[in-house]
Amino acid sequence: MKCDPTLLRLAQPAFVKSTLIRQLLLPPLIILLVVGLGLAGYLVSESSGIRTLSETGERQLELHARTVESEISKYTYLPSLLELEDSVSSLLSSVGDEHRQGVNEYLEGLNRRSRSRVIFVLDTTGRVQATSNWRDADSFLGEDLSFRAYFQDAVRGEPGRFYGIGSTTGEPGYFLAHGLEEHGKIIGVAVIKVGLDTLEERWQRARLEAFVSDENGIIILSSDPARRLKSVRPLTPQIKERLARSLQYYWWPLNELEPLARETLADGMEKLTFPANSETDQGHQHEVTYLAQTRRLADTPWHFTLLTPLQDLRREAMVQGVLVGVAFSLLAILLIAWNERRKVIATRLAAREALQEANSQLERKITERTADLRASNERLKGQIRERRHAEQTLRHAQDELVQAGKLAAIGQMSTSIAHELNQPLAALRTLSGNTVRFLERGALETASTNLRTMNDLIDRMGRITASLRSFARRGDDSGQASLAKAVDASLQVLANRISECQLQLHRQFDDQQLAIDQTRLEQILVNLVGNALDAMASEPLPQLWLEGERQGDRYRLQVRDNGHGIDAETRKHLFEPFFTTKPGEHGLGLGLTLSASLAAAAKGTLNVEHPANGGTVFILVLPLAFSSTTTADPL
Ligand code: ADP
């Protein structure tokens, strides 16, 4: 079976090219997708982590901001309490020093109990009239602090809130100022300075990263000392100058807190990256990224910022990104494997379809061929019928020819027949006349002898006519013949001529039963022997050999003479009808033709051979009739 050529179209160059391009592009595409999805996974994980972290941070922010607020508000009402103290109002109202010491000692005790840094009282000009640290060398008793903003606010009747570094002590602190009233008139200002470094210590202990920035954006409290007194937003030179002149931060340079990267995520929420320092170094990173959440503190212009490191989150996001990449890689591998499997199945299906198509094509072709064969078979049957018909016609014609040949032979022999019959007739006439006379004389013995002779003559004449009749009779294809009888009959027919030429006959054959009509075999033999007699007519010692031998299921009879033989030209036309070399009315040229036809009709053959030592051999081969009894079986 041949493969359908349409299947080979699959291997067209365009298809091969596109497959090649696909195979070349697929690996980098997959790598790109793995990296892209890994990155996306990392970003999604990071942002969701930040969201979770920000929610947690929000609560933390609230908690710690409230702690800061409560720490600050703890001291809010303390300065106003001094209003109730008579010695303070006396000190501020009178010009003398007699109340000062008492107030100093009172403030000293109050300061100790409230755990504040210092408590002092200013007059309306801003000069310190009494202070809790009156014993200290750096006591600012008598100092003019009118330049301080908290004084200016408080003297106007507004609450003074101020974070700054003490101009005398150089210590940072939170100043709360309150205008002391008497009879509705401000007579002085009470100030309490609170140190908030306990908050910082608490943050550090809790490993919390946080800072508080004031209204100027300067970090006043920080868990990381390195960030302290740095500005969280850019300061213009004018603002810097103003702040320097106010001495709020003493002589600190007020540098900006410069993050390496800053990203605003939402209102009050930023992502800040700082260079890592030895104290806050987490591992060995060069930079640390924080989620910065800022909230304004109540009752102050300050802001509390909580910093949550994002390193763990990033590590987790990175792991998740890698996991996404790996998962996609696995998925891609699975998809590729599935696709390959699908292709294999598709190829198998295509091959099966092609096979089925080829099978159905084959079946179609077989059906067509069968139809062709049936048609040609029908044609052959028709031809066979025609041939049979032609054979029948031929056989009929052959029969007719045989008959004609026989009649012709009879015609030829008519002279001999007449001679043969006239002689006994003349003898009969003479004998009958003589017999009459012998009877008249009473010579009965002689008369009866004559009558016996006449009987013999009549028998002979009967035999002649009988053989002629049997020769002229029509035969048929079936039947069987006795070879010996046929030879005898043919010799009987030709007996006259045989006796004329003094023929020497050699009989060397068995009496076989042959599958041919008896009459037809006799006719063949008459023809062959007759021709031999003709050929030997001028031979002084004519000899005829009839030699037979069995060949399997056939019998071969040779009719050999020592006549003149057949020349080369005659050999070519020997079996042609009406070919004869015999002069005048003597030959009809039908003998051999008819004999060969009769032999062929009996499924036998008639051939000729030309012996080197002269003469002619006709070889008649006929099938044996097995049903008959054979007299001799050489096998
Ligand atoms: P016919 O005997 O009427 O001529 P045949 O067909 O019997 O027709 O013979 C054809 C010719 O074959 C004869 O004319 C003769 O020349 C040649 N022929 C046949 N038999 C012999 C033979 N035994 N020897 C020589 N010639 C023969």
Side-chain angles (χ1 to χ4, degrees):
M1 187 192 69
K2 279 185 181 173
C3 186
D4 192 339
T6 50
L7 292 174
L8 299 175
R9 276 185 217 146
L10 288 174
Q12 282 174 355
F15 177 80
V16 172
K17 199 175 165 190
S18 74
T19 309
L20 196 73
I21 289 171
R22 208 164 45 212
Q23 281 179 354
L24 280 176
L25 283 181
L26 202 59
L29 193 74
I30 288 173
I31 291 168
L32 219 68
L33 274 170
V34 167
V35 172
L37 284 171
L39 198 70
Y42 167 78
L43 290 173
V44 168
S45 167
E46 191 194 29
S47 77
S48 93
I50 287 174
R51 211 175 306 122
T52 316
L53 217 62
S54 72
E55 282 165 15
T56 325
E58 206 72 51
R59 284 194 294 276
Q60 290 274 320
L61 181 76
E62 192 59 33
L63 188 75
H64 293 289
R66 279 184 191 280
T67 312
V68 176
E69 279 168 0
S70 73
E71 190 65 29
I72 295 166
S73 62
K74 210 162 67 177
Y75 301 98
T76 309
Y77 299 102
L78 202 60
S80 59
L81 287 178
L82 297 183
E83 223 171 37
L84 305 172
E85 188 53 46
D86 290 340
S87 56
V88 174
S89 48
S90 303
L91 175 70
L92 294 173
S93 321
S94 64
V95 184
D97 278 350
E98 64 268 29
H99 300 289
R100 190 181 315 278
Q101 193 52 38
V103 174
N104 277 343
E105 283 167 7
Y106 170 72
L107 292 179
E108 189 179 19
L110 190 64
N111 186 48
R112 198 170 50 247
R113 284 192 300 277
S114 65
R115 295 175 196 277
S116 52
R117 279 200 191 284
V118 62
I119 304 173
F120 53 95
V121 177
L122 305 164
D123 61 15
T124 49
T125 61
R127 196 163 293 278
V128 179
Q129 292 299 325
T131 174
S132 59
N133 61 356
W134 59 276
R135 290 180 204 273
D136 298 346
D138 55 353
S139 159
F140 33 74
L141 193 65
E143 221 171 284
D144 182 9
L145 297 176
S146 59
F147 63 95
R148 291 292 194 187
Y150 58 82
F151 167 76
Q152 287 162 11
D153 289 340
V155 89
R156 280 202 300 275
E158 291 165 19
R161 300 280 184 272
F162 178 82
Y163 181 87
I165 297 171
S167 52
T168 318
T169 58
E171 278 181 357
Y174 180 43
F175 295 85
L176 295 113
H178 178 78
L180 300 169
E181 286 183 31
E182 195 179 58
H183 311 298
K185 186 175 165 244
I186 289 177
I187 54 166
V189 170
V191 181
I192 179 164
K193 181 183 178 185
V194 184
L196 296 175
D197 40 3
T198 49
L199 278 173
E200 290 180 332
E201 282 163 21
R202 225 179 288 160
W203 291 343
Q204 280 164 1
R205 272 202 304 278
R207 295 191 174 281
L208 191 81
E209 295 215 44
F211 60 79
V212 173
S213 55
D214 69 3
E215 67 277 12
N216 296 315
I218 306 297
I219 294 172
I220 51 173
L221 294 172
S222 171
S223 57
D224 180 5
R227 291 191 198 113
R228 209 174 286 144
L229 289 171
K230 288 203 169 146
S231 159
V232 292
R233 52 175 184 259
L235 297 175
T236 58
Q238 291 85 8
I239 295 173
K240 268 190 178 174
E241 197 188 324
R242 179 173 62 78
L243 291 176
R245 208 174 296 136
S246 73
L247 285 179
Q248 185 174 349
Y249 310 104
Y250 206 48
W251 294 110
W252 281 86
L254 301 178
N255 291 327
E256 278 174 36
L257 180 71
E258 280 176 7
L260 293 173
R262 177 190 287 266
E263 189 187 338
T264 306
L265 301 174
D267 190 27
M269 188 156 74
E270 284 179 311
K271 203 159 84 174
L272 300 175
T273 307
F274 294 113
N277 64 38
S278 54
E279 286 169 49
T280 57
D281 192 3
Q282 313 217 343
H284 299 284
Q285 288 119 5
H286 300 293
E287 55 186 50
V288 188
T289 304
Y290 295 96
L291 175 71
Q293 288 168 288
T294 305
R295 173 192 180 285
R296 196 192 160 110
L297 293 171
D299 298 330
T300 63
W302 298 355
H303 286 86
F304 176 74
T305 300
L306 180 71
L307 295 174
T308 315
L310 292 177
Q311 292 318 111
D312 292 346
L313 181 91
R314 278 199 163 168
R315 208 169 296 127
E316 207 172 299
M318 218 173 278
V319 169
Q320 290 198 358
V322 169
L323 279 177
V324 167
V326 169
F328 177 76
S329 307
L330 283 174
L331 191 74
I333 289 166
L334 277 175
L335 278 174
I336 288 167
W338 174 78
N339 194 39
E340 288 303 316
R341 171 106 186 107
R342 191 185 58 78
K343 272 198 254 176
V344 168
I345 290 170
T347 315
R348 269 193 210 152
L349 279 175
R352 196 178 296 163
E353 271 176 26
L355 198 65
Q356 278 173 356
E357 176 63 26
N359 269 345
S360 55
Q361 272 183 13
L362 202 64
E363 276 170 16
R364 263 203 305 281
K365 276 180 187 164
I366 287 170
T367 316
E368 283 168 16
R369 296 258 164 88
T370 311
D372 286 353
L373 277 175
R374 204 169 285 137
S376 63
N377 201 23
E378 286 301 318
R379 272 200 305 279
L380 275 174
K381 275 184 185 166
Q383 285 175 359
I384 288 167
R385 269 197 303 278
E386 280 173 19
R387 194 156 297 169
R388 275 199 189 133
H389 185 67
E391 270 176 14
Q392 269 179 357
T393 314
L394 189 65
R395 202 167 296 129
H396 186 67
Q398 277 176 353
D399 287 347
E400 291 300 320
L401 275 171
V402 168
Q403 200 59 21
K406 281 196 278 191
L407 293 175
I410 289 168
Q412 280 173 347
M413 288 186 286
S414 59
T415 321
S416 325
I417 293 164
H419 175 73
E420 195 70 16
L421 290 175
N422 280 342
Q423 269 185 333
L425 275 175
L428 279 173
R429 196 163 50 245
T430 312
L431 281 170
S432 67
N434 288 344
T435 308
V436 170
R437 273 193 297 275
F438 285 134
L439 283 173
E440 282 170 355
R441 283 181 209 161
L444 291 172
E445 194 64 31
T446 315
S448 70
T449 307
N450 273 1
L451 282 171
R452 270 196 296 275
T453 310
M454 281 166 70
N455 258 348
D456 289 346
L457 286 170
I458 289 163
D459 280 351
R460 179 173 156 75
M461 286 168 72
R463 275 203 307 278
I464 291 168
T465 51
S467 67
L468 281 170
R469 197 171 61 242
S470 87
F471 182 67
R473 203 176 64 221
R474 284 174 189 272
D476 59 51
D477 289 338
S478 59
Q480 48 180 280
S482 156
L483 180 60
K485 276 185 192 167
V487 169
D488 287 344
S490 57
L491 292 174
Q492 182 70 46
V493 170
L494 299 165
N496 207 21
R497 293 178 60 196
I498 291 168
S499 62
E500 271 177 11
C501 68
Q502 307 274 309
L503 179 73
Q504 200 178 337
L505 184 67
H506 304 276
R507 291 169 70 111
Q508 294 165 4
F509 61 89
D510 305 317
D511 182 16
Q512 294 287 342
Q513 289 294 317
L514 304 176
I516 187 167
D517 181 71
Q518 183 74 41
T519 317
R520 290 191 174 183
L521 181 58
E522 287 170 16
Q523 287 168 359
I524 294 168
L525 291 171
V526 166
N527 280 331
L528 297 179
V529 176
N531 281 343
L533 291 173
D534 286 341
M536 296 184 294
S538 53
E539 193 62 38
L541 278 172
Q543 291 194 70
L544 186 68
W545 289 266
L546 295 171
E547 300 159 326
E549 61 168 332
R550 189 173 169 170
Q551 291 183 333
D553 58 350
R554 301 185 151 236
Y555 198 78
R556 176 187 157 105
L557 181 72
Q558 291 194 155
V559 180
R560 180 157 65 91
D561 63 56
N562 62 345
H564 53 64
I566 304 169
D567 60 67
E569 186 55 35
T570 306
R571 285 176 194 176
K572 291 182 198 163
H573 310 287
L574 213 53
F575 288 93
E576 287 176 9
F578 301 108
F579 173 76
T580 182
T581 58
K582 292 170 189 170
E585 295 293 312
H586 209 62
L588 269 181
L590 286 171
L592 288 179
T593 316
L594 291 174
S595 298
S597 300
L598 289 171
K603 298 189 175 63
T605 55
L606 177 65
N607 289 303
V608 65
E609 281 179 7
H610 311 283
N613 54 356
T616 308
V617 185
F618 279 92
I619 301 152
L620 176 66
V621 178
L622 287 169
L624 288 164
F626 287 107
S627 57
S628 63
T629 53
T630 51
T631 54
D633 190 351
L635 298 174

